Amino acid sequence: MKIEPKKQQTYLPKNFPNRDLKTSGDSSWLTAEEATAYLKLSSVCSLRNFVYEKRVPYYKLGRLLRFKVSELDQLIESTKIERRL
């Protein structure tokens, strides 16, 4: 009789829920990988550096980082540089 090891439970699967990232003003949550893609950063390491420097708003669920789409949109809008004439 084979005894199978218990699978480690995760609170949120990596692909949960299937989000449409093109909607702005949405209050959905993103994982670090999804937020990296959303912000078009080169790697998750870059995003983690921004988190460490407190340059991006984030939430922690235990060891997991989560980001709100609406807050990331506000961050992008706040970095707008006006054109000089």
Side-chain angles (χ1 to χ4, degrees), residues 15-81:
N15 60 354
F16 173 82
N18 188 7
R19 299 176 186 91
D20 179 18
L21 297 178
K22 295 182 180 179
T23 60
S24 74
D26 193 20
S27 63
S28 354
W29 295 90
L30 302 176
T31 63
E33 292 81 12
E34 293 168 334
T36 299
Y38 187 75
L39 295 172
K40 296 184 173 137
L41 296 173
S42 59
S43 67
V44 176
C45 186
S46 299
L47 180 66
R48 289 193 177 130
N49 285 336
F50 288 153
V51 166
Y52 177 76
E53 296 167 356
K54 298 194 183 333
R55 294 173 56 188
V56 63
Y58 68 96
Y59 298 84
K60 285 193 78 167
L61 298 170
R63 294 172 44 188
L64 305 175
L65 291 175
R66 293 292 180 254
F67 305 86
K68 275 190 177 180
V69 172
S70 58
E71 292 179 350
L72 294 178
D73 288 338
Q74 288 174 357
L75 174 70
I76 293 169
E77 290 294 324
S78 70
T79 60
K80 181 180 177 184
I81 299 173

